[in-house]
């Protein structure tokens, strides 16, 4: 059994030493999240530099997500076995090596090795360790603030990623971002000596069968979710893989869930035999832990959905550059950080359930206000108030959920909780992006096709051709992209104008519908806050109501 850390810093949870620890862990969280948002705005230049296509870079992005999602549980267990600080340091070395390889990548294969594989594996060691190390270095009453700031660092990275990526890609090269990460990782490694850690548990063999089952189940399910926009959720789109008209997305999700059911059976079997499991499944009998994990999933689902739809509106519908898009997202970062810092400081004994409920209501208000403001002719200023509200909401959630999940179990199990927590966040983020994207494209397609059919300026034969050719989904195109494509196809100017007009209206309909789905999910999350405790970490908590 691991011994609990007993240091002055742990007891105090404050001071210069604790500040350095918090900066170190928050920097690690920031780096883990920055990559994807930078890569998303740099796809075109990355593809050109490594001699591949946009699809090739998107494959690398998908693989990065898969590696992280599939290895989080295993990464958390390794940290429990060898020590969380050691796992954090090893993860940083692997991640730094991956960043260096990515910065120098001459082709897609090397890019995938450096970014998708090595950085993904490094992140799988680092992120669960961060959760456990906060528990090791801060007393229970200081954890909400610490978790809030660490979680905020990740959310802020999502917001500033397009700004950083857009500026560096536009004025220099995307490779500088990854080269800079190597320098930051080196600085983090120097600072890790200030981090306190519990003595690791007695060494035991890792459950290799459990590793395979958890990685396979999560990998298959997440891959299905990630491909949903291209394949369809239930019915297979034209040309997409499937069986009997059923989309491969649904089949993969079901197969992944079945494998995960076998994984939980295997873990319970090992516990019954007195063997060390990959993850103690009895942890999931704790209602508070389950409630925290569910809320983490919803937070990252909503967060990812917003960061998919809003940048699309700014960059494609309005034609803003990546740098300008990043600037417009900064209001969210400001209020997010304010909420994450202020809530634990001003209301340290506030009910987690109440704080999370208020945060979700603010997030819901931000989404609804954006739906109401979206209209043809609206400018980029309409996203400011919704982003301010969304930032307050995400910051409020970030200030509570980490402490809720870790306080549900003894500190010696915080590494395993970290693995479960980051698995939940990865699943939520993957689902949020995929759901927002597929609903957006589906609504865009329906609205566009109905619009061209009813538009007298569009000939019937052109509308019929569009209906057949675009049945699988319409790309989210800017007016300039569509005008160029239609002109190259030889359409007359009046027909081009009519189609572009219908596409612009359909884009707004698609964005509204996608945001409406996120609003419904936010409302569902508000109801599910009853799973959360009413007392803060360290307090005597009654059992949360179902």
């Amino acid at each position: 059994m691991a011994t609990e850390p007993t240091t002055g810093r742990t007891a105090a949870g404050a001071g210069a030493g604790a500040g350095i620890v918090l900066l170190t862990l928050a920097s690690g969280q920031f780096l883990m999240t920055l990559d994807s948002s930078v890569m998303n705005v740099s796809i075109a230049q990355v593809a050109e530099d490594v001699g591949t296509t946009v699809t090739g870079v998107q494959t690398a992005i998908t693989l990065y997500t898969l590696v992280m999602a599939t290895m989080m549980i295993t990464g958390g267990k390794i940290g429990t076995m060898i020590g969380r600080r050691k796992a954090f340091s090893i993860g940083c070395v692997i991640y730094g090596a991956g960043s260096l390889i990515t910065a120098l990548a001459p082709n897609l294969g090397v890019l995938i090795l450096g970014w998708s594989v090595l950085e993904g594996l490094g992140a799988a060691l680092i992120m669960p360790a961060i959760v456990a190390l906060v528990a090791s270095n801060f007393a229970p009453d200081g954890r909400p603030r610490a978790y809030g700031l660490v979680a905020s660092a990740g959310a802020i990275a999502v917001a500033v990623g397009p700004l950083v990526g857009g500026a560096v890609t536009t004025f220099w090269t995307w490779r500088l971002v990854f080269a800079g990460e190597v320098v930051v990782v080196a600085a983090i490694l120097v600072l890790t000596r200030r981090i306190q850690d519990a003595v690791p548990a007695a060494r035991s063999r890792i459950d290799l069968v459990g590793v395979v089952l958890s990685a396979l189940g999560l990998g298959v399910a997440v891959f299905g979710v990630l491909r949903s926009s291209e394949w369809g959720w239930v019915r297979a789109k034209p040309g997409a893989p499937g069986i009997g008209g059923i989309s491969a997305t649904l089949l993969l999700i079901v197969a992944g869930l079945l494998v995960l059911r076998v994984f939980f059976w295997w873990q319970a079997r090992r516990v019954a035999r007195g063997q060390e499991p990959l993850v103690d499944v009895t942890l999931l009998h704790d209602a508070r832990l389950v409630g925290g994990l569910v809320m983490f999933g919803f937070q990252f689902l909503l967060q990812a959905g917003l960061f998919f739809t809003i940048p699309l509106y700014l960059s494609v519908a309005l034609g803003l550059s990546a740098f300008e898009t990043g600037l417009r997202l900064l209001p969210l970062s400001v209020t997010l950080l304010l909420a994450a810092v202020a809530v634990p400081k001003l209301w340290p004994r506030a009910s987690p359930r109440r704080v999370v409920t208020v945060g979700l209501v603010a997030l819901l208000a931000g989404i609804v206000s954006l739906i109401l403001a979206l209209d043809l002719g609206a400018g980029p200023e309409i996203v400011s108030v919704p982003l301010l509200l969304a930032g307050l909401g995400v910051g409020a959630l970030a200030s509570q959920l980490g402490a809720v999940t870790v306080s549900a179990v003894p500190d010696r199990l915080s590494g395993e909780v970290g693995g479960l927590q980051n698995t939940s966040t990865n699943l939520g983020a993957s689902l949020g992006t995929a759901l927002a994207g597929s609903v957006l494209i589906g609504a865009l397609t329906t609205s566009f096709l109905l619009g061209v059919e009813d538009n007298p300026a569009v000939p019937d034969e052109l509308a019929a051709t569009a209906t057949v050719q675009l049945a699988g989904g319409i790309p989210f195109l800017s007016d300039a992209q569509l005008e160029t494509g239609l002109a190259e196809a030889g359409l007359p100017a009046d027909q081009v104008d009519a189609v572009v007009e219908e596409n612009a209206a359909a884009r707004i309909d698609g964005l509204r519908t996608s945001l409406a789905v996120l609003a419904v999910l936010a409302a569902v999350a508000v109801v599910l806050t009853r799973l959360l405790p009413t007392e803060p970490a360290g307090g005597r908590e009654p059992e949360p109501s179902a």
Side-chain angles (χ1 to χ4, degrees):
M1 302 288 287
T3 60
E4 301 299 331
T6 54
T7 68
R9 184 182 309 149
T10 302
I20 292 175
V21 170
L22 190 55
L23 174 64
T24 304
L25 298 178
S27 298
Q29 187 74 35
F30 183 88
L31 278 185
M32 299 304 98
T33 315
L34 182 67
D35 274 4
S36 294
S37 54
V38 168
M39 191 67 81
N40 282 331
V41 300
S42 308
I43 288 178
Q45 191 187 82
V46 174
E48 182 179 353
D49 284 356
V50 301
T52 186
T53 62
V54 169
T55 301
V57 179
Q58 289 173 333
T59 299
I61 294 173
T62 300
L63 288 174
Y64 178 64
T65 303
L66 282 174
V67 170
M68 282 200 301
T70 56
M71 298 307 294
M72 281 296 173
I73 292 177
T74 302
K77 185 63 177 180
I78 291 173
T80 300
M81 294 171 61
I82 69 175
R84 286 69 178 260
R85 186 173 66 178
K86 183 179 289 187
F88 180 83
S89 298
I90 293 173
C92 284
V93 171
I94 296 173
Y95 191 91
S99 296
L100 181 60
I101 291 172
T102 303
L104 301 174
N107 54 53
L108 179 61
V110 176
L111 179 75
I112 288 175
L113 171 64
W115 189 55
S116 306
V117 178
L118 291 179
E119 289 196 33
L121 290 174
L125 284 171
I126 293 169
M127 295 176 77
I130 289 175
V131 176
L133 289 170
V134 170
S136 298
N137 286 267
F138 296 88
D141 59 351
R143 288 177 190 169
R145 176 177 175 272
Y147 280 120
L149 289 172
V150 169
S152 297
I156 289 171
V158 176
V160 303
L163 181 63
V164 173
V168 174
T169 301
T170 301
F171 300 115
W172 298 286
T173 171
W174 59 274
R175 297 180 188 273
L176 283 179
V177 175
F178 292 92
E181 287 186 350
V182 178
V183 177
V184 175
V185 166
I188 289 174
L189 284 170
V190 171
L191 295 175
T192 53
R193 69 184 67 180
R194 306 295 296 270
I195 298 175
Q196 300 296 316
D197 191 13
V199 177
R203 294 293 180 90
S204 60
R205 291 185 176 180
I206 194 165
D207 175 18
L208 294 179
V209 175
V211 170
V212 172
L213 288 173
S214 65
L216 181 63
L218 288 168
V220 168
V222 171
F223 183 71
V225 169
L226 292 173
R227 302 299 294 174
S228 59
S229 295
E230 292 80 15
W231 294 350
W233 283 94
V234 180
R235 295 189 63 181
K237 291 184 177 181
I243 298 177
I246 303 299
S247 172
T249 288
L250 180 60
L251 298 176
L252 288 174
I253 292 174
V254 171
L257 292 176
L258 290 175
V259 174
L260 288 176
R261 180 65 186 88
V262 175
F263 165 74
F264 284 115
W265 167 82
W266 175 256
Q267 297 303 290
R269 182 173 180 267
R270 287 184 66 86
V271 171
R273 291 186 172 189
Q275 298 172 313
E276 183 74 15
L278 184 65
V279 62
D280 186 352
V281 292
T282 61
L283 292 176
L284 298 178
H285 296 164
D286 189 293
R288 290 170 296 181
L289 175 60
V290 172
L293 294 176
V294 169
M295 285 299 111
F296 262 120
F298 271 103
Q299 176 192 333
F300 278 77
L301 186 155
L302 296 169
Q303 185 177 302
L306 278 176
F307 276 109
F308 176 83
T309 52
I310 294 178
L312 272 183
Y313 169 71
L314 294 173
S315 62
V316 178
L318 299 184
L320 271 61
S321 68
F323 183 75
E324 292 170 326
T325 298
L327 283 176
R328 287 289 175 178
L329 295 176
L330 285 181
L332 181 139
S333 298
V334 174
T335 53
L336 190 156
L337 187 58
L338 284 175
V341 174
V343 172
K345 185 175 180 62
L346 299 178
W347 300 284
R349 305 301 299 170
S351 161
R353 184 189 299 179
R354 183 174 295 116
V355 173
V356 172
T357 300
V358 171
L360 286 169
V361 169
L363 192 52
L364 175 60
I367 296 172
V368 171
S369 64
L370 184 56
I371 294 173
L372 296 176
L374 274 176
D375 203 356
L376 282 174
E381 67 280 353
I382 67 167
V383 306
S384 297
V385 171
L387 285 175
L388 289 171
L389 291 170
L392 287 173
V394 174
L397 267 66
S399 74
Q400 302 296 313
L401 294 182
V404 166
T405 55
V406 175
S407 67
V409 301
D411 283 355
R412 61 184 173 81
L413 296 174
S414 55
E416 294 186 37
V417 171
L420 291 172
Q421 178 178 305
N422 283 288
T423 298
S424 178
T425 59
N426 272 279
L427 289 173
S430 299
L431 185 59
T433 302
L435 189 62
S438 59
V439 170
L440 173 62
I441 297 303
L444 169 63
T445 301
T446 300
S447 177
F448 177 78
L449 293 179
L450 288 175
V452 295
E453 287 177 1
D454 295 337
N455 193 319
V458 179
D460 292 342
E461 60 272 17
L462 178 58
T465 301
T467 301
V468 173
Q469 293 183 350
L470 302 177
I474 296 175
F476 198 85
L477 299 174
S478 67
D479 290 346
Q481 290 172 316
L482 186 58
E483 284 176 357
T484 300
L486 294 175
E488 291 177 352
L491 264 67
D494 59 333
Q495 293 183 20
V496 169
D497 292 341
V499 172
V500 168
E501 181 181 335
E502 293 298 339
N503 182 67
R507 268 199 317 253
I508 298 299
D509 289 341
L511 287 165
R512 282 181 182 150
T513 305
S514 184
L515 290 167
V517 171
L518 294 178
V520 171
L521 290 172
V524 171
V526 170
V527 175
L528 293 179
T529 55
R530 292 182 59 82
L531 295 171
L532 296 174
T534 57
E535 293 292 327
R540 296 184 61 185
E541 300 169 357
E543 285 295 319
S545 54

